[in-house]
Amino acid sequence: MLIEEANRLSLSSYRDSFLPSSLDPAPASGEPHLAYSIRFEGSSTISPTDLNACFNLIASSSANAYASSSIGWSPAKKSKEMKLPDLRYLLVEPRTTDQSDLRIDGFLSFMLTYEDGYEVVYCYEIHLAPYMQGQGIGRHLMTLVEEAGTKAGVAKSMLTVFVENQAAIEFYEKLGYLVDEYSPEPRKLRNGTLKMPTYSILSKSLKDNSKGE
């Protein structure tokens, strides 16, 4: 399916085409159910409250990293990016009927798009509240994105990571991500100083995954 065709699908058709029927992972052995659930939204369907919660997760965990990088931190630009028409969201929220406890504990945003001539699924942001980390949720979210890319028939899954975030780099490496051929390389300045990039582009081939489809 062409990227443009995929992105024109309604939210329900997109989910049916590229994501599993249940977005939640299976509960651990002995546990009756998970304490959280995963909800799928698009940039046009996510509520302003949920979008603001996602923005706050980015700002609290990564604003400083953005600011110290060559990308820079601009709340206005980030807010605009979060509303890109083809962006999709996987929202992590408590499994509760208590209306006073509705919140977003984490999210992953992604897009089926083109990158350097390749059809790819690009992970824009992935953030979890500190108390949600270390439970395998991030790995599960990445698995869902890779499944979407595989079912869409794209070449690879891609993402951007700050070089200072060594924990994130190690996390992605364990998932099979490598530095992409188009990732920025060190630049030699006129005075001979080597200027290192502040971020890397990582990728993982999805073509092998599609063999079993």
Side-chain angles (χ1 to χ4, degrees), residues 57 60-61 105-106 127-135 137:
L57 282 170
S60 63
S61 65
D105 289 328
H127 299 272
L128 293 170
Y131 53 84
M132 298 297 288
Q133 297 173 13
Q135 303 179 47
I137 302 173

Side-chain angles (χ1 to χ4, degrees), residues 1-205:
M1 181 180 292
L2 293 175
I3 294 295
E4 294 83 358
E5 183 181 349
N7 286 328
R8 281 196 298 268
L9 293 173
S10 67
L11 193 69
S12 59
S13 294
Y14 190 106
R15 173 172 173 163
D16 291 343
S17 298
F18 307 127
L19 292 169
S21 56
S22 174
L23 300 180
D24 300 339
S29 179
E31 294 185 7
H33 58 76
L34 294 169
Y36 66 90
S37 61
I38 298 173
R39 173 160 52 92
F40 179 58
E41 296 286 353
S43 59
S44 63
T45 64
I46 187 172
S47 72
T49 299
D50 289 344
L51 193 65
N52 187 61
C54 291
F55 176 86
N56 288 338
L57 282 170
I58 298 173
S60 63
S61 65
S62 300
N64 291 338
Y66 270 105
S68 61
S69 75
S70 58
I71 298 174
W73 172 246
S74 167
K77 288 182 179 178
K78 179 55 65 176
S79 294
K80 183 177 181 180
E81 177 191 272
M82 294 175 72
K83 298 174 184 176
L84 289 173
D86 297 334
L87 205 61
R88 304 291 188 267
Y89 287 83
L90 295 169
L91 305 176
V92 180
E93 55 190 1
R95 188 183 295 274
T96 178
T97 57
D98 184 355
Q99 294 298 308
S100 66
D101 194 30
L102 297 180
R103 64 179 187 271
I104 300 300
D105 289 328
F107 80 98
L108 184 152
S109 58
F110 69 99
M111 184 189 295
L112 292 171
T113 186
Y114 296 97
E115 191 73 20
D116 299 309
Y118 290 97
E119 292 185 335
V120 307
V121 58
Y122 210 108
C123 174
Y124 271 65
E125 301 280 354
I126 177 171
H127 299 272
L128 293 170
Y131 53 84
M132 298 297 288
Q133 297 173 13
Q135 303 179 47
I137 302 173
R139 176 184 290 271
H140 179 68
L141 291 174
M142 291 299 298
T143 298
L144 292 175
V145 167
E146 291 171 14
E147 179 170 340
T150 298
K151 288 183 175 179
V154 303
K156 52 187 175 179
S157 175
M158 299 183 71
L159 56 91
T160 302
V161 62
F162 295 115
V163 295
E164 70 175 40
N165 193 345
Q166 192 58 40
I169 292 174
E170 292 176 0
F171 167 72
Y172 294 126
E173 287 178 341
K174 288 179 181 178
L175 296 181
Y177 285 80
L178 302 171
V179 176
D180 190 78
E181 59 182 317
Y182 292 102
S183 184
E185 297 182 352
R187 290 189 300 113
K188 194 170 187 179
L189 305 181
R190 291 181 179 179
N191 62 6
T193 302
L194 197 63
K195 185 175 179 61
M196 303 300 292
T198 56
Y199 66 91
S200 293
I201 297 174
L202 307 184
S203 65
K204 176 180 179 179
S205 174

